[in-house]
Amino acid sequence: MRRKDFLWGSATAAYQCEGAWNLDGKGEGEWDYFNHTSPLNINNVSGDVACDFYHHYKEDIDMLAAGGQNTFRFSISWARIMPEGRGRVNQQGIDFYNSVIDYCLEKGVVPNVTLFHYDLPLTLAEEGGWARREIVDDFTEYAKVCFKAFGDRVKIWVPINELRYYSYCSNMVGNYPPNHSLDFDRFFKTVYHEVLACAKAAIAYRKMGCDGQIGIVHDNSNVDLAPETKEKERIRIIANLFYNDLVLDTALKGTLPGNLIPFLQENGIDWSYIRFEDAVTFEKGKSDFLGLNVYNRMYLTDYSEGETEVFHNNRGAGSKKKEGIRIKNWFETTVDPTTKRNLWGREIYPQCMYDALMEIKNKYGDIPIYITENGHGMYEKADENGNVEDDERIDMMQGYIDKMLEAMDDGVDVRGYYAWSTMDLYSWINGFEKRYGFVRVDFDDDNKRYPKKSYYWFKKLIEDYQKGAE
Ligand code: BG6
């Protein structure tokens, strides 16, 4: 592809940036309810206002366009479009996203739109959310409303963001609503319903004659084994089933992983919801592209001892916990002493960008790929003029981008890169102090925006790339 056609941009998600949680007919969401009522909202914050993208969207799009970005990834709030999750459509919600999309196009910015980024309408959550098969049809109806309203102008669609990670946090870690812990039944069932919903949405999209591309976004979880690991082959198989295959095989090959049902049976995990007739849906509903959110890899070794336990750090510098899991008789995560971690205990490992891209090419062939997220969470302090010198973010992201370009040189069909995030926003359970944006938001002073050093660095990187030899 020509250099000027490569998409360089940044990403957000509705709940994390919009605010306006109960304005203009929006229905209540599961996250609204959770953050307003649950003691598990440990930092006692919410997306009620967030960075108020709802009222600042022009400024944000102006700024990203002025920064040389030619694409913007954002998500639609299901409850803003369908306040009860199904049935009635809220015209004011449609109007809002029409304005955002039209403004992107006016500024020469390609919209890349996700339909579900963790924020379920409360009514559907109360009925059982993604654990109920009926949600697949509800989601497809919602997707169709969006395709009809916006499909003439939006040409890159993602039904669901990070199917696996969302289910992991909601059903294994228990930090995201509905807060189930170590519930393997619900974990696999949720991912299954999500992949089915993605396939059905893709089928509906094509049936409606829409002429764009529809894909999925997966949280990169390429498996690396510590050198001392004894049961390398066995762990690789199990870990890939747990982290990757149910999403990737189903979306990219159009078939469930062949070893999924025997594995669930052997481990006493519920698989009663898997219907053989779904095979046709998976086959017809394959993704046109893969969106990959690249932050880290899964660094694993043999299970040692003890009960299954998950380790997660939403307290940042206030905690020494490292992200990970020990699953009895399967495997456990381990620490690579040569690799840095951020203050929330997550690995910073640029090489995983290259390794993951090559592994996907080897396993799934030449599928078009977008890096739909990559970024670095940090605590930040502004100087007296409101500016932030985020050199650490720049170094880290440059490392990942270099590895992406290396993989492209080695034949991987990457078509775009989105930094997480366009501006500072709400970071789920972590609150607002874990910042990712290219643009600082002063949450205490009317959500004023100030471009950071990384914003200018990214602008120059894009310019230099576009000037490079074809
Ligand atoms: C991705 C999500 O998992 O990572 C984003 O798609 C999220 O929504 C981002 O914000 C960073 O994670 P966190 O938990 O640090 O905000």
Side-chain angles (χ1 to χ4, degrees):
M1 93 187 286
R2 312 247 319 267
R3 280 181 179 244
K4 71 168 188 25
D5 297 326
F6 190 85
L7 296 180
W8 288 105
S10 53
T12 59
Y15 183 76
Q16 294 180 269
C17 71
E18 284 179 5
W21 76 279
N22 58 358
L23 279 193
D24 296 340
K26 177 181 167 294
E28 196 173 356
E30 186 179 27
W31 277 87
D32 296 319
Y33 182 76
F34 167 80
N35 274 333
H36 293 160
T37 61
S38 174
L40 297 175
N41 172 10
I42 53 175
N43 291 299
N44 197 24
V45 285
S46 78
D48 288 3
V49 180
C51 58
D52 201 18
F53 175 77
Y54 195 75
H55 298 107
H56 287 255
Y57 71 89
K58 285 195 173 167
E59 190 184 341
D60 289 326
I61 295 166
D62 278 341
M63 215 178 269
L64 72 85
Q69 299 175 43
N70 55 9
T71 186
F72 176 42
R73 175 172 180 243
F74 61 93
S75 79
I76 291 179
S77 156
W78 188 341
R80 206 180 282 292
I81 298 290
M82 295 171 111
E84 290 83 29
R86 66 170 77 88
R88 187 171 68 90
V89 171
N90 174 33
Q91 186 55 42
Q92 287 169 290
I94 302 273
D95 294 345
F96 171 64
Y97 294 108
N98 269 331
S99 308
V100 172
I101 293 163
D102 289 344
Y103 202 63
C104 281
L105 297 176
E106 195 181 319
K107 294 283 155 179
V109 169
V110 174
N112 176 334
V113 176
T114 298
L115 292 172
F116 179 74
H117 195 125
Y118 306 171
D119 51 347
L120 199 58
L122 184 61
T123 42
L124 300 184
E126 284 173 343
E127 290 173 5
W130 286 100
R132 288 175 79 237
R133 188 175 170 103
E134 290 76 1
I135 196 159
V136 173
D137 292 329
D138 293 331
F139 179 79
T140 312
E141 281 316 303
Y142 157 60
K144 283 196 215 163
V145 169
C146 293
F147 298 150
K148 184 160 176 253
F150 315 121
D152 56 336
R153 287 152 295 148
V154 174
K155 302 295 170 191
I156 308 180
W157 288 97
V158 172
I160 300 181
N161 175 70
E162 295 191 352
L163 300 75
R164 196 283 314 179
Y165 188 69
Y166 168 66
S167 182
Y168 182 75
C169 288
S170 309
N171 300 307
M172 296 293 292
V173 183
N175 59 341
Y176 289 10
N179 310 102
H180 294 269
S181 298
L182 299 179
D183 188 335
F184 286 86
D185 291 341
R186 256 192 96 106
F187 168 77
F188 280 102
K189 192 193 278 186
T190 294
V191 181
Y192 185 84
H193 289 153
E194 289 179 299
V195 281
L196 192 60
C198 288
K200 286 211 169 168
I203 293 171
Y205 183 71
R206 291 169 193 139
K207 238 194 200 148
M208 288 168 73
C210 300
D211 59 351
Q213 323 155 43
I214 183 160
I216 50 145
V217 164
H218 181 54
D219 45 288
N220 176 59
S221 310
N222 65 304
V223 172
D224 257 1
L225 297 174
E228 67 276 11
T229 308
K230 293 190 198 80
E231 294 195 277
K232 289 205 169 69
E233 216 22 60
R234 179 175 168 267
I235 294 182
R236 217 176 265 290
I237 292 170
I238 300 180
N240 272 313
L241 256 183
F242 185 65
Y243 288 117
N244 298 309
D245 299 349
L246 178 50
V247 176
L248 294 181
D249 282 13
T250 315
L252 304 181
K253 291 206 275 197
T255 54
L256 287 175
N259 52 354
L260 177 71
I261 295 177
F263 176 78
L264 296 178
Q265 274 175 332
E266 255 166 52
N267 287 279
I269 298 171
D270 182 19
W271 62 282
S272 58
Y273 49 88
I274 300 181
R275 296 197 190 155
F276 291 100
E277 66 266 25
D278 292 341
V280 182
T281 309
F282 291 133
E283 168 62 33
K284 282 199 193 147
K286 276 200 279 187
S287 290
D288 296 323
F289 67 86
L290 171 65
L292 205 57
N293 290 354
V294 181
Y295 292 95
N296 57 295
R297 61 179 168 169
M298 294 300 156
Y299 192 63
L300 308 176
T301 193
D302 303 291
Y303 159 74
S304 55
E305 57 179 2
E307 292 306 312
T308 298
E309 198 178 343
V310 66
F311 311 94
H312 211 81
N313 176 355
N314 288 121
R315 295 201 189 266
S319 162
K320 293 256 167 305
K321 268 196 190 164
K322 307 218 179 323
E323 264 187 13
I325 193 165
R326 175 177 63 236
I327 307 183
K328 195 172 183 178
N329 298 324
W330 289 8
F331 58 80
E332 61 190 45
T333 48
T334 187
V335 173
D336 177 348
T338 64
T339 301
K340 281 198 239 155
R341 296 205 171 223
N342 70 18
L343 291 169
W344 288 260
R346 180 182 276 185
E347 261 198 345
I348 301 169
Y349 188 67
Q351 181 62 33
C352 76
M353 173 74 89
Y354 180 86
D355 295 346
L357 288 170
M358 295 311 290
E359 189 172 328
I360 282 161
K361 181 179 162 66
N362 293 335
K363 270 195 184 162
Y364 302 104
D366 286 324
I367 176 103
I369 298 177
Y370 296 92
I371 301 304
T372 33
E373 286 181 31
N374 170 236
H376 183 50
M378 293 165 62
Y379 293 105
E380 290 174 348
K381 250 201 153 57
D383 66 17
E384 64 283 6
N385 301 315
N387 299 322
V388 172
E389 305 257 319
D390 50 346
D391 293 285
E392 185 180 309
R393 171 171 299 113
I394 295 172
D395 285 354
M396 179 261 160
M397 292 178 81
Q398 183 73 61
Y400 279 77
I401 290 175
D402 288 345
K403 291 289 169 191
M404 173 186 81
L405 296 171
E406 203 179 312
M408 287 163 67
D409 284 344
D410 289 344
V412 182
D413 184 10
V414 183
R415 303 200 177 172
Y417 171 96
Y418 295 80
W420 183 266
S421 49
T422 307
M423 62 297 201
D424 290 337
L425 33 71
Y426 167 74
S427 167
W428 304 112
I429 306 299
N430 309 298
F432 287 95
E433 289 319 308
K434 187 179 189 184
R435 293 179 181 235
Y436 282 90
F438 278 156
V439 174
R440 170 175 167 252
V441 174
D442 188 342
F443 296 107
D444 300 322
D445 184 11
D446 206 18
N447 291 303
K448 284 195 185 118
R449 270 69 167 155
Y450 302 82
K452 300 179 192 174
K453 190 171 176 182
S454 56
Y455 168 91
Y456 297 104
W457 158 80
F458 195 52
K459 180 175 188 205
K460 173 136 192 339
L461 182 142
I462 298 169
E463 280 165 10
D464 291 347
Y465 177 81
Q466 288 171 341
K467 276 191 248 151
E470 294 293 346

